[in-house]
């Protein structure tokens, strides 16, 4: 039989099947020894699932409690030992709030839920409402364990309904029991209302609710949910027209730029976005986009004619050597030029030569039909349209949206 070093030859490459064949006591001894690399110890912990040797439990728990050990190993051990009641006093101790290892505070909360600690219910509800899927899953697992042990009503009482995350938990619980959650489309928190629209599935019930929905926002969420269920664009437009085609007005944002941004981002915007953006995208026609290759040829030709010696365009992902986005980069004698994929929009990076080089680029591209996005236009913040960008989930400015890159 191969040894542990052979079964885990390097970080990220573990023979999980082979490790399951290793004696549990040997795995436990290896896992608790911090002299071994953490990336070998963690697969050993995973391989102990369902077969923890009782004689090694105390040593395994000691590793969980050791704040000097590697967080990834401690998290794996918490999952492995989640049913051990003797862990609960340590898990509940106020010192746990000072744990700094990445992912460990969330794993501790989940473990408290699995052990039936109702005092963790409110924190688990907040965790389950996180925008990060991994954290959502941990919070939901802890809450589910509490509900299984004590019943939904008891846990709902523990959580309350004052915070948006409390109401989100209440809605998920109601929906899980088969109850109608259409009334939550009127929740004042957009994230909660978005959750409700993602859960409703009865188109007729939604049509009946349109007449009783107390706010324009609730009616827009209703229209959005209806469109998700039926795909009936004509019905969605009729509702939108009947509401007066409400939209978020942004000072300085003209229709050309607005249309490009709405149709690029509103369909996939973050849950705390205003529903007016979402329904506007469904009920308006997308802008005409010239062929991308032709657009880049026009830009390159214009810069060449102006004597600016452009290099071949490359995507922003290729330029940054990772990720992707909504623009191409053209290096030329006047600096770095950006050509958007969302329309005939162009901009440029500041260069050591100041604005003189940019003026030549702007004039050349304007003659070829491109619109220059200057600093004033680029700085306009598109209110309440929340787009993910390097961990943030808030409104972005025009420059970032037209020339967006994410690794």
């Amino acid at each position: 039989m191969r040894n542990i070093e052979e079964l885990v030859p390097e970080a990220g490459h573990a023979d999980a099947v082979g490790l399951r064949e290793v004696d549990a006591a040997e795995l436990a001894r290896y896992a608790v020894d911090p002299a071994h690399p953490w990336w070998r110890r963690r697969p050993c912990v995973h391989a102990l699932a369902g077969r923890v040797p009782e004689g090694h439990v105390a040593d395994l728990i000691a590793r969980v409690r050791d704040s000097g050990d590697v967080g990834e190993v401690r998290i794996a051990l918490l999952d492995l030992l989640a049913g051990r009641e003797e862990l609960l006093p340590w898990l509940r101790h106020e010192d746990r709030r000072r744990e700094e290892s990445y992912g460990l505070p969330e794993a501790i909360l989940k473990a408290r839920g699995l052990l039936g600690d109702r005092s963790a219910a409110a924190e688990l509800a907040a965790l389950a409402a996180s925008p990060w899927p991994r954290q959502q899953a941990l919070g939901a697992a802890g809450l589910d364990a509490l509900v299984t042990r004590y019943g939904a009503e008891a846990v709902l009482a523990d959580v309350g309904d004052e915070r948006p995350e409390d109401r989100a938990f209440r809605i998920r619980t109601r929906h899980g029991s088969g109850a109608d959650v259409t009334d939550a489309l009127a929740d004042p928190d957009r994230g909660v209302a978005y959750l409700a629209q993602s859960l409703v599935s009865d188109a007729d019930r939604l049509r009946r609710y349109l007449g009783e929905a107390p706010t324009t926002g609730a009616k827009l969420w209703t229209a959005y949910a209806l469109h998700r269920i039926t795909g009936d664009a004509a019905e969605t437009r009729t509702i939108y027209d009947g509401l007066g085609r409400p939209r978020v007005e942004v000072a300085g944002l003209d229709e050309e730029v607005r249309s490009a941004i709405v149709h690029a981002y509103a369909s996939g915007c973050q849950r705390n976005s205003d529903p007016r953006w979402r329904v506007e995208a469904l009920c308006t026609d997308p802008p005409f986009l010239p062929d991308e290759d032709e657009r880049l040829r026009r830009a390159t030709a214009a810069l060449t004619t102006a004597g600016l010696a452009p290099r071949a365009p490359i995507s922003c992902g290729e330029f940054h050597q990772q990720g992707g986005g909504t623009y191409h980069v053209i290096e030329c004698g006047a600096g770095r030029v950006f050509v958007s994929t969302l329309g005939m929009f162009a901009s440029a990076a500041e260069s050591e030569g100041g604005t003189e080089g940019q003026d030549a680029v702007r004039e050349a591209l304007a003659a070829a039909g491109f619109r220059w996005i200057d600093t004033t236009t680029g700085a306009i913040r598109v209110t309440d349209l929340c787009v993910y960008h390097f961990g943030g989930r808030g409104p972005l400015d025009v420059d970032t949206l037209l020339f967006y890159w994410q690794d």
Side-chain angles (χ1 to χ4, degrees):
M1 181 181 293
R2 291 180 295 166
N3 61 32
I4 291 172
E5 283 76 13
E6 292 172 329
L7 292 166
V8 193
E10 57 184 337
H13 294 82
D15 182 346
V17 175
L19 285 170
R20 293 289 296 177
E21 297 174 355
V22 176
D23 177 72
E26 181 182 350
L27 289 170
R29 285 191 295 270
Y30 197 99
V32 301
D33 186 351
H36 297 306
W38 72 264
W39 44 266
R40 282 199 173 111
R41 295 167 60 208
R42 183 173 62 175
C44 290
V45 175
H46 293 159
L48 284 170
R51 57 184 188 126
V52 178
E54 193 64 29
H56 291 270
V57 168
D59 290 336
L60 293 168
I61 288 178
R63 290 293 100 221
V64 173
R65 292 173 172 170
D66 183 1
S67 61
D69 207 339
V70 177
E72 285 84 348
V73 175
R74 298 172 72 197
I75 291 169
L77 285 166
L78 269 178
D79 281 338
L80 179 70
L81 303 169
R84 308 297 304 203
E85 297 287 344
E86 59 265 46
L87 267 173
L88 190 52
W90 179 83
L91 291 167
R92 296 183 63 178
H93 195 279
E94 62 182 17
D95 286 350
R96 300 293 77 70
R97 298 186 179 278
R98 293 192 285 273
E99 294 281 358
E100 296 180 349
S101 294
Y102 177 76
L104 190 61
E106 296 84 359
I108 287 171
L109 271 178
K110 174 190 170 184
R112 288 172 62 188
L114 295 179
L115 285 167
D117 180 10
R118 288 173 63 178
S119 69
E123 291 175 276
L124 284 167
L127 189 61
S130 166
W132 299 102
R134 177 182 173 277
Q135 296 186 354
Q136 286 178 24
L138 293 173
L143 287 171
D144 289 346
L146 291 176
V147 169
T148 298
R149 182 177 295 207
Y150 301 110
E153 290 306 315
V155 182
L156 286 169
D158 291 337
V159 171
D161 62 3
E162 292 186 5
R163 305 175 303 168
E165 51 263 45
D166 302 335
R167 299 194 297 278
F169 170 56
R170 187 170 296 272
I171 290 168
R172 287 190 185 279
T173 303
R174 286 172 53 198
H175 176 73
S177 69
D180 178 26
V181 297
T182 305
D183 60 317
L185 294 169
D187 194 282
D189 183 85
R190 293 173 191 154
V192 176
Y194 176 82
L195 170 63
Q197 74 76 30
S198 73
L199 296 175
V200 294
S201 58
D202 187 336
D204 290 335
R205 170 71 181 105
L206 286 168
R207 294 186 182 101
R208 293 194 301 271
Y209 180 72
L210 266 175
E212 61 189 72
T215 64
T216 298
K219 294 178 187 294
L220 287 167
W221 285 119
T222 304
Y224 189 71
L226 262 175
H227 191 278
R228 172 178 57 78
I229 294 167
T230 68
D232 189 340
E235 180 180 34
T236 308
R237 289 194 180 96
T238 297
I239 297 170
Y240 188 54
D241 291 343
L243 294 174
R245 301 178 68 82
R247 68 181 203 168
V248 178
E249 297 296 345
V250 179
L253 187 66
D254 62 75
E255 294 305 313
E256 181 184 28
V257 174
R258 181 189 187 99
S259 180
I261 289 173
V262 165
H263 288 279
Y265 295 100
S267 63
C269 60
Q270 296 294 301
R271 62 191 182 188
N272 52 331
S273 298
D274 193 301
R276 289 175 290 179
W277 287 114
R278 299 176 185 273
V279 181
E280 179 180 342
L282 295 175
C283 296
T284 57
D285 294 327
F288 170 76
L289 290 179
D291 177 77
E292 186 170 291
D293 291 338
E294 173 60 24
R295 202 180 328 156
L296 293 172
R297 281 194 294 270
R298 286 171 63 179
T300 304
L303 295 171
T304 300
T305 300
L308 296 172
R311 299 179 185 173
I314 59 174
S315 69
C316 60
E318 183 180 354
F319 176 79
H320 290 285
Q321 298 184 333
Q322 59 185 342
T326 65
Y327 66 99
H328 287 80
V329 180
I330 303 176
E331 300 272 10
C332 68
R336 190 174 299 145
V337 179
F338 306 134
V339 178
S340 178
T341 63
L342 304 187
M344 296 291 288
F345 306 114
S347 184
E350 293 186 7
S351 62
E352 295 181 0
T355 61
E356 184 176 345
Q358 287 193 9
D359 290 342
V361 171
R362 183 174 62 250
E363 292 171 5
L365 292 179
F370 287 88
R371 176 177 170 182
W372 190 259
I373 302 300
D374 59 23
T375 55
T376 300
T377 301
I380 296 171
R381 187 162 294 275
V382 184
T383 315
D384 294 324
L385 179 63
C386 302
V387 176
Y388 181 84
H389 190 239
F390 289 97
R393 289 178 167 82
L396 300 174
D397 59 33
V398 165
D399 184 73
T400 304
L401 292 168
L402 292 182
F403 308 101
Y404 178 97
W405 173 70
Q406 173 67 52
D407 66 9

